[in-house]
Amino acid sequence: VGPNEPPSCYPDSLKERGQYIINEFSRYSNTLGFDAGNEVTLHSSDPEKEINAPCQKKFIRDMRSYINTCSNVTATILPRQVPIGMANWDYARELQSSYFNCEETDPLEAPDWYGINVYLHCDPSAVTQDDLNGWIELRDNFTQFNLPVPVIVTEFGCRERFPTIDGFEAQRNWLQVGALYSSSYEEVFAGGIVFEYSAEKFIVDQSDQGNPWPYYGFMKLQYGVGYYS
């Protein structure tokens, strides 16, 4: 979804691209879901308004409609329905959560699942009171929101500099596991999705940090758990 206001934020090519990806990956039994957008409103051309948010909802509607239609066709390329959701940046939680999960004119405009990208509870040496309070507030917020779909902690795993392991400066820690899979959090969150599996070589190569392959040094703008050629 583009940065501008509707309808230009939803180009025709996006719908075709989304259908293509659904066709390709729904064949695999380990495809658990599709993400119809990641932090779309963060990239709005107007920093004061999420002007491209309506295009996000229309894209979700079109992709959910596509899966519903194809699943009813004999010998379809889609052997099963795969839930379509979205991942959002951690800003204006209540406003954005309510907006994207509101069924305005078409129930298909709301996602099948809702993801929130948060980097809380991340300190590897000690859990500060502020950090812990932020994690508790996250749980309490979504308890109050009571969204009608599963809520997932996306961009799961804290991306900071941690102790070196086998010569590599580690990219992640998983301090949220103890809370996220505890009884009080399981009532609110459906789990977490690691973002992302491997570092992207192109992005690392373009970085001004200048770390050569095999990238033993920590890369601030990298999100991968591991490095692969």
Side-chain angles (χ1 to χ4, degrees), residues 116-161:
I116 182 79
N117 297 341
V118 291
Y119 289 94
L120 299 168
H121 200 42
C122 295
D123 189 334
S125 60
V127 178
T128 66
Q129 191 60 45
D130 287 342
D131 200 21
L132 185 57
N133 286 343
W135 190 249
I136 294 172
E137 183 181 21
L138 176 71
R139 179 198 62 191
D140 293 347
N141 283 165
F142 279 92
T143 299
Q144 177 185 355
F145 301 161
N146 192 29
L147 299 185
V149 298
V151 180
I152 300 169
V153 177
T154 39
E155 296 204 11
F156 178 46
C158 287
R159 186 179 54 85
E160 299 291 344
R161 187 189 302 273

Coordinates of all heavy atoms in Angstrom, one line a residue, residues 116-161:
I116 N 0.9 -6.6 16.4 CA 1.5 -5.3 16.9 C 3.0 -5.5 17.0 O 3.4 -6.5 17.6 CB 0.8 -4.9 18.2 CG1 1.3 -3.6 18.7 CG2 0.9 -6.0 19.3 CD1 0.8 -2.4 18.1
N117 N 3.7 -4.6 16.5 CA 5.2 -4.6 16.5 C 5.7 -3.9 17.7 O 5.6 -2.6 17.8 CB 5.8 -4.0 15.3 CG 5.5 -4.8 14.0 OD1 5.1 -6.0 14.1 ND2 5.6 -4.2 12.9
V118 N 6.2 -4.6 18.7 CA 6.6 -3.9 20.0 C 8.0 -4.4 20.4 O 8.3 -5.6 20.2 CB 5.6 -4.2 21.1 CG1 4.3 -3.4 20.9 CG2 5.4 -5.6 21.3
Y119 N 8.8 -3.5 20.9 CA 10.1 -3.8 21.4 C 10.1 -3.4 22.9 O 10.6 -2.4 23.3 CB 11.2 -3.2 20.6 CG 11.3 -3.8 19.2 CD1 10.7 -3.2 18.2 CD2 12.1 -4.9 19.1 CE1 10.8 -3.8 16.9 CE2 12.2 -5.5 17.8 CZ 11.6 -5.0 16.7 OH 11.7 -5.5 15.5
L120 N 9.5 -4.3 23.7 CA 9.5 -4.0 25.2 C 10.0 -5.2 25.9 O 10.1 -6.3 25.3 CB 8.0 -3.8 25.6 CG 7.3 -2.6 25.0 CD1 5.8 -2.7 25.3 CD2 7.8 -1.3 25.5
H121 N 10.4 -5.1 27.1 CA 10.9 -6.2 27.9 C 12.2 -6.8 27.3 O 12.3 -8.0 27.1 CB 9.9 -7.3 28.1 CG 10.0 -8.2 29.2 ND1 10.4 -7.8 30.5 CD2 9.9 -9.5 29.3 CE1 10.5 -8.8 31.3 NE2 10.2 -9.9 30.6
C122 N 13.1 -5.9 26.9 CA 14.3 -6.2 26.1 C 15.6 -6.2 26.8 O 16.6 -6.7 26.2 CB 14.3 -5.3 24.9 SG 12.9 -5.5 23.8
D123 N 15.7 -5.6 27.9 CA 17.0 -5.4 28.6 C 17.7 -6.7 28.9 O 17.1 -7.5 29.7 CB 16.9 -4.5 29.8 CG 18.2 -4.1 30.4 OD1 19.2 -4.7 30.2 OD2 18.2 -3.0 31.1
P124 N 18.8 -7.1 28.4 CA 19.4 -8.4 28.6 C 20.1 -8.5 30.0 O 20.3 -9.6 30.5 CB 20.5 -8.5 27.5 CG 20.9 -7.1 27.3 CD 19.6 -6.3 27.4
S125 N 20.4 -7.4 30.6 CA 21.1 -7.5 31.9 C 20.1 -7.4 33.1 O 20.3 -8.0 34.1 CB 22.1 -6.4 32.0 OG 21.5 -5.1 31.9
A126 N 19.0 -6.6 32.9 CA 18.1 -6.5 34.0 C 16.8 -5.9 33.4 O 16.8 -5.2 32.4 CB 18.6 -5.5 35.0
V127 N 15.7 -6.3 34.0 CA 14.4 -5.8 33.5 C 14.1 -4.6 34.3 O 13.8 -4.6 35.5 CB 13.3 -6.8 33.7 CG1 11.9 -6.3 33.2 CG2 13.6 -8.1 32.9
T128 N 14.2 -3.4 33.7 CA 13.9 -2.2 34.4 C 12.4 -2.0 34.7 O 11.6 -2.6 34.1 CB 14.3 -0.9 33.6 OG1 13.5 -0.9 32.4 CG2 15.8 -1.0 33.2
Q129 N 12.1 -1.3 35.7 CA 10.7 -1.1 36.1 C 9.9 -0.5 35.0 O 8.8 -0.9 34.7 CB 10.6 -0.3 37.4 CG 9.2 -0.3 38.0 CD 8.7 -1.7 38.4 OE1 9.5 -2.4 38.9 NE2 7.5 -2.0 38.0
D130 N 10.5 0.5 34.3 CA 9.8 1.1 33.2 C 9.5 0.1 32.0 O 8.4 0.1 31.4 CB 10.6 2.3 32.6 CG 10.6 3.5 33.6 OD1 9.7 3.6 34.4 OD2 11.5 4.4 33.4
D131 N 10.5 -0.7 31.7 CA 10.4 -1.7 30.7 C 9.3 -2.7 31.0 O 8.4 -3.0 30.2 CB 11.7 -2.4 30.4 CG 11.7 -3.1 29.1 OD1 11.0 -2.7 28.2 OD2 12.6 -4.0 28.9
L132 N 9.3 -3.1 32.3 CA 8.3 -4.1 32.7 C 6.9 -3.5 32.7 O 5.9 -4.1 32.3 CB 8.7 -4.6 34.1 CG 7.8 -5.7 34.7 CD1 7.8 -6.9 33.8 CD2 8.3 -6.1 36.1
N133 N 6.8 -2.2 33.2 CA 5.5 -1.6 33.2 C 5.0 -1.4 31.7 O 3.8 -1.6 31.5 CB 5.7 -0.2 33.8 CG 5.8 -0.2 35.3 OD1 5.5 -1.2 35.9 ND2 6.3 0.9 35.9
G134 N 5.9 -1.2 30.8 CA 5.5 -1.1 29.4 C 4.9 -2.4 28.9 O 3.9 -2.4 28.1
W135 N 5.5 -3.5 29.3 CA 5.0 -4.8 28.9 C 3.6 -5.1 29.5 O 2.7 -5.6 28.9 CB 6.0 -5.9 29.3 CG 5.8 -7.2 28.7 CD1 5.4 -8.4 29.4 CD2 5.8 -7.7 27.4 NE1 5.2 -9.4 28.6 CE2 5.5 -9.0 27.3 CE3 6.2 -7.0 26.2 CZ2 5.5 -9.8 26.2 CZ3 6.1 -7.7 25.0 CH2 5.8 -9.1 25.0
I136 N 3.5 -4.7 30.8 CA 2.2 -4.9 31.5 C 1.1 -4.0 30.9 O 0.0 -4.5 30.7 CB 2.4 -4.6 33.0 CG1 3.3 -5.7 33.7 CG2 1.0 -4.6 33.7 CD1 3.7 -5.3 35.1
E137 N 1.5 -2.8 30.5 CA 0.6 -1.9 29.9 C 0.1 -2.4 28.6 O -1.1 -2.3 28.2 CB 1.2 -0.5 29.7 CG 0.3 0.5 29.1 CD 0.9 1.9 28.9 OE1 2.2 1.9 28.9 OE2 0.2 2.9 28.8
L138 N 1.0 -3.0 27.8 CA 0.6 -3.6 26.5 C -0.5 -4.7 26.7 O -1.5 -4.7 26.0 CB 1.8 -4.3 25.9 CG 1.6 -5.0 24.6 CD1 1.3 -4.1 23.4 CD2 2.8 -5.9 24.2
R139 N -0.3 -5.6 27.7 CA -1.3 -6.6 28.0 C -2.6 -6.0 28.4 O -3.7 -6.3 28.0 CB -0.8 -7.5 29.1 CG -1.8 -8.6 29.5 CD -1.4 -9.2 30.8 NE -1.4 -8.2 31.9 CZ -0.9 -8.4 33.1 NH1 -0.4 -9.5 33.4 NH2 -1.0 -7.4 34.0
D140 N -2.5 -5.0 29.4 CA -3.7 -4.3 29.9 C -4.5 -3.6 28.8 O -5.7 -3.6 28.8 CB -3.4 -3.4 31.0 CG -2.9 -4.1 32.2 OD1 -3.0 -5.4 32.3 OD2 -2.3 -3.5 33.1
N141 N -3.7 -3.0 27.9 CA -4.4 -2.2 26.8 C -5.2 -3.2 25.9 O -6.4 -2.9 25.6 CB -3.3 -1.6 25.9 CG -2.8 -0.3 26.5 OD1 -1.7 0.2 26.0 ND2 -3.4 0.3 27.5
F142 N -4.6 -4.3 25.5 CA -5.3 -5.2 24.6 C -6.4 -6.0 25.3 O -7.3 -6.5 24.7 CB -4.3 -6.1 23.8 CG -3.7 -5.3 22.6 CD1 -2.6 -4.7 22.8 CD2 -4.4 -5.3 21.4 CE1 -2.0 -4.0 21.7 CE2 -3.9 -4.6 20.3 CZ -2.7 -3.9 20.5
T143 N -6.3 -6.1 26.6 CA -7.4 -6.7 27.4 C -8.6 -5.8 27.3 O -9.7 -6.3 27.1 CB -6.9 -6.9 28.9 OG1 -5.8 -7.8 29.0 CG2 -8.1 -7.5 29.7
Q144 N -8.3 -4.5 27.4 CA -9.4 -3.5 27.3 C -10.0 -3.4 25.9 O -11.2 -3.3 25.8 CB -8.9 -2.2 27.8 CG -9.9 -1.0 27.7 CD -9.3 0.3 28.0 OE1 -8.2 0.4 28.4 NE2 -10.1 1.4 27.8
F145 N -9.1 -3.5 24.9 CA -9.6 -3.4 23.5 C -10.5 -4.6 23.2 O -11.5 -4.4 22.4 CB -8.4 -3.3 22.6 CG -7.5 -2.2 22.8 CD1 -6.2 -2.3 22.2 CD2 -7.8 -1.1 23.5 CE1 -5.3 -1.2 22.4 CE2 -6.9 0.0 23.7 CZ -5.6 -0.1 23.2
N146 N -10.1 -5.7 23.7 CA -11.0 -6.9 23.5 C -11.3 -7.1 22.0 O -12.5 -7.2 21.6 CB -12.3 -6.9 24.3 CG -13.0 -8.2 24.4 OD1 -12.4 -9.3 24.3 ND2 -14.3 -8.1 24.5
L147 N -10.3 -7.2 21.2 CA -10.5 -7.3 19.7 C -11.2 -8.6 19.4 O -11.0 -9.6 20.1 CB -9.2 -7.2 19.0 CG -8.5 -5.8 19.2 CD1 -7.2 -5.8 18.3 CD2 -9.4 -4.7 18.8
P148 N -12.0 -8.7 18.3 CA -12.7 -9.9 17.9 C -11.8 -10.9 17.2 O -12.4 -12.0 16.9 CB -13.8 -9.4 17.0 CG -13.2 -8.2 16.4 CD -12.3 -7.5 17.4
V149 N -10.5 -10.6 17.0 CA -9.7 -11.6 16.3 C -8.4 -11.8 17.2 O -8.1 -11.1 18.1 CB -9.2 -11.0 14.9 CG1 -10.5 -10.8 14.0 CG2 -8.5 -9.7 15.1
P150 N -7.7 -12.9 16.9 CA -6.4 -13.1 17.6 C -5.4 -12.0 17.4 O -5.3 -11.4 16.4 CB -5.9 -14.4 17.0 CG -7.1 -15.1 16.3 CD -8.0 -14.0 15.9
V151 N -4.8 -11.6 18.5 CA -3.8 -10.6 18.5 C -2.4 -11.2 18.7 O -2.2 -12.1 19.6 CB -4.0 -9.5 19.7 CG1 -2.9 -8.5 19.6 CG2 -5.4 -8.9 19.5
I152 N -1.5 -10.9 17.8 CA -0.2 -11.5 17.8 C 0.9 -10.5 18.0 O 0.8 -9.4 17.5 CB 0.1 -12.2 16.5 CG1 -1.0 -13.3 16.3 CG2 1.5 -12.9 16.4 CD1 -1.0 -13.9 14.9
V153 N 1.9 -10.8 18.8 CA 3.1 -9.9 18.9 C 4.0 -10.2 17.7 O 4.7 -11.2 17.7 CB 3.9 -10.1 20.2 CG1 5.1 -9.3 20.3 CG2 2.9 -9.9 21.4
T154 N 4.0 -9.3 16.7 CA 4.8 -9.4 15.6 C 6.1 -8.7 15.8 O 6.2 -7.9 16.7 CB 4.1 -8.9 14.3 OG1 3.3 -7.7 14.7 CG2 3.0 -9.9 13.8
E155 N 7.1 -9.0 14.9 CA 8.5 -8.5 15.2 C 8.9 -9.0 16.6 O 9.4 -8.2 17.4 CB 8.6 -7.0 15.0 CG 8.4 -6.6 13.6 CD 9.1 -5.3 13.2 OE1 9.9 -4.8 14.0 OE2 8.8 -4.7 12.1
F156 N 8.6 -10.2 16.9 CA 8.8 -10.8 18.2 C 10.3 -11.1 18.3 O 11.0 -11.5 17.4 CB 8.1 -12.2 18.2 CG 8.3 -13.0 19.5 CD1 8.2 -12.4 20.7 CD2 8.5 -14.3 19.4 CE1 8.3 -13.2 21.9 CE2 8.6 -15.1 20.5 CZ 8.6 -14.5 21.8
G157 N 10.8 -10.8 19.5 CA 12.3 -11.0 19.8 C 12.9 -9.6 19.7 O 12.8 -8.8 18.8
C158 N 13.7 -9.2 20.8 CA 14.2 -7.9 20.8 C 15.5 -7.8 20.0 O 16.4 -8.6 20.1 CB 14.5 -7.5 22.3 SG 12.9 -7.2 23.2
R159 N 15.6 -6.7 19.2 CA 16.7 -6.5 18.3 C 17.6 -5.5 18.9 O 17.5 -4.3 18.6 CB 16.1 -6.1 17.0 CG 17.1 -6.0 15.8 CD 16.4 -5.5 14.6 NE 15.6 -4.3 14.8 CZ 16.1 -3.1 14.7 NH1 17.4 -2.9 14.5 NH2 15.4 -2.0 14.9
E160 N 18.6 -6.0 19.6 CA 19.6 -5.1 20.3 C 20.9 -5.8 20.2 O 21.1 -6.9 19.7 CB 19.2 -4.8 21.7 CG 17.8 -4.1 21.8 CD 17.9 -2.7 21.3 OE1 19.0 -2.1 21.1 OE2 16.8 -2.1 21.1
R161 N 22.0 -5.2 20.8 CA 23.3 -5.8 20.9 C 23.4 -6.6 22.1 O 23.2 -6.2 23.2 CB 24.4 -4.7 20.9 CG 25.8 -5.3 20.8 CD 26.8 -4.2 21.0 NE 26.6 -3.1 20.1 CZ 27.2 -3.0 18.9 NH1 28.0 -4.0 18.5 NH2 27.0 -2.0 18.1

